[in-house]
Amino acid sequence: QAMRMNSTSSFEGLKHQSCVNFLAGDESIKIVPMFTHDKSIELLSVPKLGPFTALTPISVPLWLAIQLKQKSLCRIPTPHWMEVESLQRILLYEKSQDRFSRELPFRYMEISRSLLSSSAAGGGELEEEDSIRILLQDISSIRMDKIRRNLHTLSVESLGTTDILPVIDVTGIGSLELATIAPFCTTAFDHHLMLSRKDDVKNNIKDTSGKEDGENGNNENNLFDGDAQPVD
């Protein structure tokens, strides 16, 4: 049963991660087009996009930015939060604080992976690409360690009891990080709810039996109170 649960959780985790990777394609990213197109274009995710003017920055969905980049129709400047100086500051914050940095976008992992892969395929367009990759890996590792510690604390202090679960602060957590822990949390919370319901049923049974005993006791006492008449 445990093996089945683990395999199910892993499968659910893969589904979550595939979903968030797909959704990240609609994230807005700034590009510098190498072409001019006087008319706007309509996309499912963006009602109106453009017009495009050569060398004039414009924000487009991530998937379109990657497609244009592959065709050498645009450049993708390094986003501010992906610059080495910004990542170094974020890394220091993650090391020194229990909370997550809010400087990173919700889908920072998917965006950075796409941009790094595109840069590597295009001959290293991102400045200080290696440093960016290392810093992002360090940040991701530290954040996952925080998540594991918090889940361990939650498991030890709350999930083994029928007490009301505490509020979990996930402010600043990334989408892939959330997708990684979602299957475990869902299963754990379901089990906790099941235990809580069983405990409620037991308490209700005890309360019911206690009331019945009390009523029977009262009836017996009424036979011997002062107003009762002896039976001939």
Side-chain angles (χ1 to χ4, degrees), residues 83-96:
E83 294 175 354
V84 170
E85 183 177 349
S86 297
L87 291 177
Q88 288 174 339
R89 182 176 61 254
I90 293 171
L91 179 60
L92 289 175
Y93 181 91
E94 296 290 353
K95 286 181 177 180
S96 60

Side-chain angles (χ1 to χ4, degrees), residues 55-127:
L55 303 181
T56 300
I58 185 174
S59 294
V60 301
L62 178 61
W63 68 266
L64 180 59
I66 299 300
Q67 290 291 324
L68 294 175
K69 169 70 168 50
Q70 291 176 349
K71 299 179 184 300
S72 300
L73 292 175
C74 79
R75 290 190 301 104
I76 305 178
T78 304
H80 176 68
W81 60 269
M82 269 186 71
E83 294 175 354
V84 170
E85 183 177 349
S86 297
L87 291 177
Q88 288 174 339
R89 182 176 61 254
I90 293 171
L91 179 60
L92 289 175
Y93 181 91
E94 296 290 353
K95 286 181 177 180
S96 60
Q97 303 293 326
D98 291 332
R99 296 186 177 185
F100 299 111
S101 171
R102 298 189 182 186
E103 290 192 55
L104 295 171
F106 181 56
R107 303 192 188 279
Y108 82 96
M109 293 183 71
E110 304 96 295
I111 296 172
S112 60
R113 286 179 182 177
S114 296
L115 296 183
L116 286 169
S117 297
S118 176
S119 177
E125 183 181 69
L126 290 177
E127 296 181 4

Side-chain angles (χ1 to χ4, degrees), residues 24-229:
D26 286 332
E27 290 293 309
S28 181
I29 193 80
K30 186 170 290 185
I31 66 169
V32 179
M34 298 299 183
F35 64 96
T36 297
H37 186 70
D38 296 333
K39 296 182 179 180
S40 299
I41 60 176
E42 294 184 2
L43 303 173
L44 290 176
S45 57
V46 183
K48 185 178 180 181
L49 187 63
F52 294 85
T53 303
L55 303 181
T56 300
I58 185 174
S59 294
V60 301
L62 178 61
W63 68 266
L64 180 59
I66 299 300
Q67 290 291 324
L68 294 175
K69 169 70 168 50
Q70 291 176 349
K71 299 179 184 300
S72 300
L73 292 175
C74 79
R75 290 190 301 104
I76 305 178
T78 304
H80 176 68
W81 60 269
M82 269 186 71
E83 294 175 354
V84 170
E85 183 177 349
S86 297
L87 291 177
Q88 288 174 339
R89 182 176 61 254
I90 293 171
L91 179 60
L92 289 175
Y93 181 91
E94 296 290 353
K95 286 181 177 180
S96 60
Q97 303 293 326
D98 291 332
R99 296 186 177 185
F100 299 111
S101 171
R102 298 189 182 186
E103 290 192 55
L104 295 171
F106 181 56
R107 303 192 188 279
Y108 82 96
M109 293 183 71
E110 304 96 295
I111 296 172
S112 60
R113 286 179 182 177
S114 296
L115 296 183
L116 286 169
S117 297
S118 176
S119 177
E125 183 181 69
L126 290 177
E127 296 181 4
E128 302 183 87
E129 180 180 327
D130 292 338
S131 297
I132 291 174
R133 193 184 303 275
I134 293 172
L135 285 167
L136 283 168
Q137 289 173 350
D138 291 343
I139 290 171
S140 177
S141 297
I142 292 173
R143 288 165 68 95
M144 286 306 301
D145 285 341
K146 288 182 185 180
I147 293 172
R148 292 188 190 98
R149 287 198 304 269
N150 290 335
L151 287 178
H152 177 72
T153 301
L154 178 66
S155 177
V156 171
E157 296 181 356
S158 303
L159 290 181
T161 70
T162 56
D163 297 336
I164 297 176
L165 292 177
V167 175
I168 303 175
D169 185 6
V170 293
T171 304
I173 195 172
S175 59
L176 268 179
E177 295 161 345
L178 198 59
T180 301
I181 65 172
F184 168 80
C185 288
T186 302
T187 302
F189 293 159
D190 285 345
H191 288 177
H192 182 273
L193 180 61
M194 180 178 63
L195 290 173
S196 300
R197 285 176 174 172
K198 285 184 177 180
D199 192 61
D200 289 341
V201 171
K202 289 181 181 178
N203 290 334
N204 289 335
I205 293 175
K206 289 181 181 179
D207 292 341
T208 303
S209 61
K211 289 179 181 178
E212 291 177 352
D213 292 341
E215 291 173 355
N216 293 334
N218 290 334
N219 292 335
E220 292 176 358
N221 290 335
N222 290 336
L223 295 177
F224 299 99
D225 61 16
D227 297 329
Q229 299 297 324

